Amino acid sequence: MSGTFISFEGIDGAGKSTHIERLSQAFKAQGKVVTLTREPGGTPLAERLRTMVLNDPMDAMTEALLVFAARRDHIVEVIRPALARGEVVLCDRFTDATFAYQGGGRGFDWGVLERLEQWVQGGDVLLQPHLTIWFDLPPAVAAARLASARVPDKFEAQSGAFFEKVAAAYGRRCASDPQRFARIDANLTPDAVWEQVIASVRIKALLP
Ligand code: TYD
């Protein structure tokens, strides 16, 4: 795989979106072809699964299976082909979100998620992002940001206790793969957050 794969993670309200867009511009300025995508979603089928996962009540295992089904389609149809062409794939959430939300938030079995990860992302080599930028923000701060925003979806409507568990699960994933993760302090001004984002990409020599 010759391309560059970067994922963006964090609890709802952590403020990923503007930085993903800005990073896309930074890669394009270097003449790179960028695929901006998201999970669950990124293909017509996966977007339909996203609508179900974000709106319909279901048990945690069903949720985990649907997000991995969406991920499989996304990998086969979009991510692997783009990487094989040498492009840059910027993905708003990837598998760490499943560990955080279904594993941490909803308490679904961590070991089963690890097996699904091997299955769905396996092949000759396990597909993982080269870099995962984790926007770490205290859940209370994220909740205050979300309160003034839009109508909450199924996850955004969850309690503070839920997001404490999601945040802790992100911490666990980060600790288990520290080379891949860049933890960003998202409780700062947008410019100060951006400085950390761009530094995390440069330190990996993914941008000059
Ligand atoms: P999000 O990425 O925050 O998009 P938006 O900015 O449009 O709200 O929303 C996706 C939601 O899906 C988020 O609450 C986390 C959840 N999610 C899971 O529960 N499991 C997963 O595997 C993924 C990728 C996302």
Side-chain angles (χ1 to χ4, degrees), residues 42-68:
T43 70
L45 172 60
E47 290 290 333
R48 293 210 294 280
L49 294 170
R50 175 189 179 93
T51 303
M52 296 177 201
V53 169
L54 265 57
N55 295 288
D56 298 344
M58 59 185 73
D59 89 307
M61 188 194 292
T62 308
E63 218 168 77
L65 293 171
L66 288 182
V67 293
F68 268 115

mmCIF file of all heavy atoms in Angstrom, residues 42-68:
data_model
loop_
_atom_site.group_PDB
_atom_site.id
_atom_site.type_symbol
_atom_site.label_atom_id
_atom_site.label_comp_id
_atom_site.label_asym_id
_atom_site.label_seq_id
_atom_site.Cartn_x
_atom_site.Cartn_y
_atom_site.Cartn_z
ATOM 1 N N GLY A 42 -19.296 6.274 3.819
ATOM 2 C CA GLY A 42 -18.255 6.333 2.807
ATOM 3 C C GLY A 42 -18.562 5.586 1.518
ATOM 4 O O GLY A 42 -17.845 5.732 0.542
ATOM 5 N N THR A 43 -19.631 4.781 1.521
ATOM 6 C CA THR A 43 -20.140 4.149 0.294
ATOM 7 C C THR A 43 -21.663 4.227 0.378
ATOM 8 O O THR A 43 -22.206 4.409 1.476
ATOM 9 C CB THR A 43 -19.758 2.655 0.167
ATOM 10 O OG1 THR A 43 -20.497 1.916 1.149
ATOM 11 C CG2 THR A 43 -18.261 2.418 0.350
ATOM 12 N N PRO A 44 -22.372 4.046 -0.736
ATOM 13 C CA PRO A 44 -23.847 4.098 -0.666
ATOM 14 C C PRO A 44 -24.415 3.077 0.333
ATOM 15 O O PRO A 44 -25.290 3.415 1.138
ATOM 16 C CB PRO A 44 -24.274 3.786 -2.106
ATOM 17 C CG PRO A 44 -23.117 4.288 -2.934
ATOM 18 C CD PRO A 44 -21.886 3.980 -2.133
ATOM 19 N N LEU A 45 -23.892 1.860 0.313
ATOM 20 C CA LEU A 45 -24.384 0.845 1.257
ATOM 21 C C LEU A 45 -24.053 1.234 2.700
ATOM 22 O O LEU A 45 -24.901 1.173 3.598
ATOM 23 C CB LEU A 45 -23.765 -0.526 0.917
ATOM 24 C CG LEU A 45 -24.026 -1.643 1.926
ATOM 25 C CD1 LEU A 45 -25.517 -1.917 2.094
ATOM 26 C CD2 LEU A 45 -23.303 -2.926 1.484
ATOM 27 N N ALA A 46 -22.819 1.628 2.927
ATOM 28 C CA ALA A 46 -22.398 1.968 4.295
ATOM 29 C C ALA A 46 -23.143 3.195 4.819
ATOM 30 O O ALA A 46 -23.409 3.294 6.022
ATOM 31 C CB ALA A 46 -20.883 2.188 4.335
ATOM 32 N N GLU A 47 -23.495 4.119 3.939
ATOM 33 C CA GLU A 47 -24.275 5.283 4.383
ATOM 34 C C GLU A 47 -25.682 4.853 4.817
ATOM 35 O O GLU A 47 -26.252 5.419 5.748
ATOM 36 C CB GLU A 47 -24.343 6.355 3.288
ATOM 37 C CG GLU A 47 -23.014 7.073 3.037
ATOM 38 C CD GLU A 47 -22.577 8.009 4.166
ATOM 39 O OE1 GLU A 47 -23.437 8.524 4.894
ATOM 40 O OE2 GLU A 47 -21.352 8.210 4.324
ATOM 41 N N ARG A 48 -26.232 3.840 4.140
ATOM 42 C CA ARG A 48 -27.553 3.345 4.563
ATOM 43 C C ARG A 48 -27.442 2.683 5.932
ATOM 44 O O ARG A 48 -28.306 2.840 6.790
ATOM 45 C CB ARG A 48 -28.131 2.381 3.527
ATOM 46 C CG ARG A 48 -28.466 3.067 2.207
ATOM 47 C CD ARG A 48 -29.634 2.416 1.482
ATOM 48 N NE ARG A 48 -29.353 1.051 1.029
ATOM 49 C CZ ARG A 48 -28.667 0.749 -0.074
ATOM 50 N NH1 ARG A 48 -28.182 1.707 -0.842
ATOM 51 N NH2 ARG A 48 -28.469 -0.498 -0.413
ATOM 52 N N LEU A 49 -26.356 1.945 6.137
ATOM 53 C CA LEU A 49 -26.140 1.325 7.451
ATOM 54 C C LEU A 49 -25.947 2.398 8.522
ATOM 55 O O LEU A 49 -26.417 2.268 9.649
ATOM 56 C CB LEU A 49 -24.940 0.374 7.398
ATOM 57 C CG LEU A 49 -25.142 -0.859 6.511
ATOM 58 C CD1 LEU A 49 -23.831 -1.619 6.321
ATOM 59 C CD2 LEU A 49 -26.199 -1.790 7.095
ATOM 60 N N ARG A 50 -25.260 3.474 8.155
ATOM 61 C CA ARG A 50 -25.050 4.581 9.104
ATOM 62 C C ARG A 50 -26.386 5.132 9.605
ATOM 63 O O ARG A 50 -26.554 5.366 10.805
ATOM 64 C CB ARG A 50 -24.257 5.700 8.418
ATOM 65 C CG ARG A 50 -24.092 6.955 9.273
ATOM 66 C CD ARG A 50 -23.496 8.121 8.487
ATOM 67 N NE ARG A 50 -23.362 9.315 9.305
ATOM 68 C CZ ARG A 50 -22.261 9.642 9.973
ATOM 69 N NH1 ARG A 50 -21.192 8.886 9.897
ATOM 70 N NH2 ARG A 50 -22.220 10.728 10.716
ATOM 71 N N THR A 51 -27.319 5.341 8.678
ATOM 72 C CA THR A 51 -28.630 5.880 9.056
ATOM 73 C C THR A 51 -29.293 4.984 10.101
ATOM 74 O O THR A 51 -29.873 5.464 11.074
ATOM 75 C CB THR A 51 -29.520 6.020 7.814
ATOM 76 O OG1 THR A 51 -28.834 6.859 6.879
ATOM 77 C CG2 THR A 51 -30.862 6.640 8.141
ATOM 78 N N MET A 52 -29.167 3.678 9.911
ATOM 79 C CA MET A 52 -29.760 2.744 10.887
ATOM 80 C C MET A 52 -29.044 2.840 12.228
ATOM 81 O O MET A 52 -29.674 2.955 13.275
ATOM 82 C CB MET A 52 -29.640 1.311 10.377
ATOM 83 C CG MET A 52 -30.417 1.044 9.121
ATOM 84 S SD MET A 52 -30.102 -0.665 8.594
ATOM 85 C CE MET A 52 -30.552 -0.517 6.876
ATOM 86 N N VAL A 53 -27.712 2.787 12.189
ATOM 87 C CA VAL A 53 -26.930 2.776 13.434
ATOM 88 C C VAL A 53 -27.160 4.053 14.236
ATOM 89 O O VAL A 53 -27.253 4.017 15.467
ATOM 90 C CB VAL A 53 -25.426 2.580 13.120
ATOM 91 C CG1 VAL A 53 -24.568 2.842 14.348
ATOM 92 C CG2 VAL A 53 -25.177 1.169 12.595
ATOM 93 N N LEU A 54 -27.277 5.181 13.546
ATOM 94 C CA LEU A 54 -27.415 6.460 14.252
ATOM 95 C C LEU A 54 -28.839 6.769 14.697
ATOM 96 O O LEU A 54 -29.053 7.699 15.462
ATOM 97 C CB LEU A 54 -26.886 7.613 13.388
ATOM 98 C CG LEU A 54 -25.434 8.010 13.662
ATOM 99 C CD1 LEU A 54 -24.484 6.847 13.495
ATOM 100 C CD2 LEU A 54 -25.000 9.161 12.787
ATOM 101 N N ASN A 55 -29.812 6.000 14.199
ATOM 102 C CA ASN A 55 -31.203 6.349 14.513
ATOM 103 C C ASN A 55 -32.015 5.252 15.171
ATOM 104 O O ASN A 55 -32.910 5.544 15.959
ATOM 105 C CB ASN A 55 -31.916 6.817 13.239
ATOM 106 C CG ASN A 55 -31.312 8.097 12.701
ATOM 107 O OD1 ASN A 55 -31.483 9.163 13.286
ATOM 108 N ND2 ASN A 55 -30.560 7.989 11.624
ATOM 109 N N ASP A 56 -31.748 4.004 14.819
ATOM 110 C CA ASP A 56 -32.604 2.928 15.318
ATOM 111 C C ASP A 56 -32.062 2.335 16.615
ATOM 112 O O ASP A 56 -30.873 2.033 16.700
ATOM 113 C CB ASP A 56 -32.708 1.805 14.270
ATOM 114 C CG ASP A 56 -33.346 2.284 12.971
ATOM 115 O OD1 ASP A 56 -33.971 3.361 13.000
ATOM 116 O OD2 ASP A 56 -33.207 1.597 11.951
ATOM 117 N N PRO A 57 -32.930 2.134 17.594
ATOM 118 C CA PRO A 57 -32.484 1.434 18.798
ATOM 119 C C PRO A 57 -32.128 -0.018 18.442
ATOM 120 O O PRO A 57 -32.820 -0.650 17.633
ATOM 121 C CB PRO A 57 -33.708 1.468 19.721
ATOM 122 C CG PRO A 57 -34.686 2.405 19.098
ATOM 123 C CD PRO A 57 -34.372 2.480 17.648
ATOM 124 N N MET A 58 -31.043 -0.531 19.026
ATOM 125 C CA MET A 58 -30.630 -1.922 18.749
ATOM 126 C C MET A 58 -29.669 -2.337 19.849
ATOM 127 O O MET A 58 -29.108 -1.482 20.542
ATOM 128 C CB MET A 58 -29.957 -2.030 17.376
ATOM 129 C CG MET A 58 -28.725 -1.170 17.224
ATOM 130 S SD MET A 58 -28.031 -1.187 15.549
ATOM 131 C CE MET A 58 -29.204 -0.203 14.627
ATOM 132 N N ASP A 59 -29.450 -3.631 19.998
ATOM 133 C CA ASP A 59 -28.522 -4.061 21.039
ATOM 134 C C ASP A 59 -27.088 -3.837 20.564
ATOM 135 O O ASP A 59 -26.824 -3.619 19.375
ATOM 136 C CB ASP A 59 -28.815 -5.498 21.489
ATOM 137 C CG ASP A 59 -28.065 -6.524 20.674
ATOM 138 O OD1 ASP A 59 -28.154 -6.483 19.433
ATOM 139 O OD2 ASP A 59 -27.380 -7.372 21.272
ATOM 140 N N ALA A 60 -26.168 -3.867 21.526
ATOM 141 C CA ALA A 60 -24.782 -3.459 21.238
ATOM 142 C C ALA A 60 -24.114 -4.370 20.215
ATOM 143 O O ALA A 60 -23.315 -3.915 19.400
ATOM 144 C CB ALA A 60 -23.973 -3.418 22.534
ATOM 145 N N MET A 61 -24.457 -5.672 20.239
ATOM 146 C CA MET A 61 -23.824 -6.578 19.266
ATOM 147 C C MET A 61 -24.298 -6.258 17.846
ATOM 148 O O MET A 61 -23.502 -6.242 16.902
ATOM 149 C CB MET A 61 -24.108 -8.047 19.588
ATOM 150 C CG MET A 61 -23.277 -8.958 18.692
ATOM 151 S SD MET A 61 -23.775 -10.679 18.658
ATOM 152 C CE MET A 61 -23.389 -11.228 20.304
ATOM 153 N N THR A 62 -25.597 -6.002 17.708
ATOM 154 C CA THR A 62 -26.126 -5.644 16.385
ATOM 155 C C THR A 62 -25.412 -4.393 15.875
ATOM 156 O O THR A 62 -24.988 -4.328 14.713
ATOM 157 C CB THR A 62 -27.639 -5.399 16.475
ATOM 158 O OG1 THR A 62 -28.252 -6.513 17.114
ATOM 159 C CG2 THR A 62 -28.254 -5.190 15.101
ATOM 160 N N GLU A 63 -25.257 -3.436 16.770
ATOM 161 C CA GLU A 63 -24.590 -2.188 16.406
ATOM 162 C C GLU A 63 -23.150 -2.464 15.938
ATOM 163 O O GLU A 63 -22.711 -1.947 14.903
ATOM 164 C CB GLU A 63 -24.556 -1.298 17.647
ATOM 165 C CG GLU A 63 -24.775 0.159 17.402
ATOM 166 C CD GLU A 63 -24.995 0.835 18.743
ATOM 167 O OE1 GLU A 63 -24.012 1.062 19.482
ATOM 168 O OE2 GLU A 63 -26.162 1.118 19.065
ATOM 169 N N ALA A 64 -22.441 -3.292 16.697
ATOM 170 C CA ALA A 64 -21.045 -3.607 16.351
ATOM 171 C C ALA A 64 -20.972 -4.311 14.997
ATOM 172 O O ALA A 64 -20.110 -4.000 14.166
ATOM 173 C CB ALA A 64 -20.417 -4.471 17.443
ATOM 174 N N LEU A 65 -21.874 -5.240 14.771
ATOM 175 C CA LEU A 65 -21.854 -5.980 13.494
ATOM 176 C C LEU A 65 -22.183 -5.051 12.326
ATOM 177 O O LEU A 65 -21.575 -5.156 11.254
ATOM 178 C CB LEU A 65 -22.821 -7.160 13.548
ATOM 179 C CG LEU A 65 -22.415 -8.276 14.525
ATOM 180 C CD1 LEU A 65 -23.540 -9.294 14.669
ATOM 181 C CD2 LEU A 65 -21.131 -8.971 14.069
ATOM 182 N N LEU A 66 -23.113 -4.141 12.528
ATOM 183 C CA LEU A 66 -23.467 -3.220 11.442
ATOM 184 C C LEU A 66 -22.326 -2.250 11.138
ATOM 185 O O LEU A 66 -22.045 -1.972 9.969
ATOM 186 C CB LEU A 66 -24.753 -2.450 11.768
ATOM 187 C CG LEU A 66 -26.049 -3.258 11.727
ATOM 188 C CD1 LEU A 66 -27.250 -2.347 12.018
ATOM 189 C CD2 LEU A 66 -26.256 -3.947 10.382
ATOM 190 N N VAL A 67 -21.657 -1.730 12.174
ATOM 191 C CA VAL A 67 -20.556 -0.797 11.867
ATOM 192 C C VAL A 67 -19.393 -1.538 11.200
ATOM 193 O O VAL A 67 -18.743 -1.001 10.305
ATOM 194 C CB VAL A 67 -20.058 0.052 13.069
ATOM 195 C CG1 VAL A 67 -21.128 1.025 13.523
ATOM 196 C CG2 VAL A 67 -19.542 -0.780 14.204
ATOM 197 N N PHE A 68 -19.174 -2.803 11.582
ATOM 198 C CA PHE A 68 -18.107 -3.557 10.900
ATOM 199 C C PHE A 68 -18.533 -3.954 9.475
ATOM 200 O O PHE A 68 -17.682 -4.019 8.585
ATOM 201 C CB PHE A 68 -17.685 -4.783 11.707
ATOM 202 C CG PHE A 68 -16.539 -4.499 12.645
ATOM 203 C CD1 PHE A 68 -16.702 -4.569 14.015
ATOM 204 C CD2 PHE A 68 -15.272 -4.169 12.154
ATOM 205 C CE1 PHE A 68 -15.638 -4.304 14.885
ATOM 206 C CE2 PHE A 68 -14.206 -3.911 13.004
ATOM 207 C CZ PHE A 68 -14.394 -3.973 14.382
#
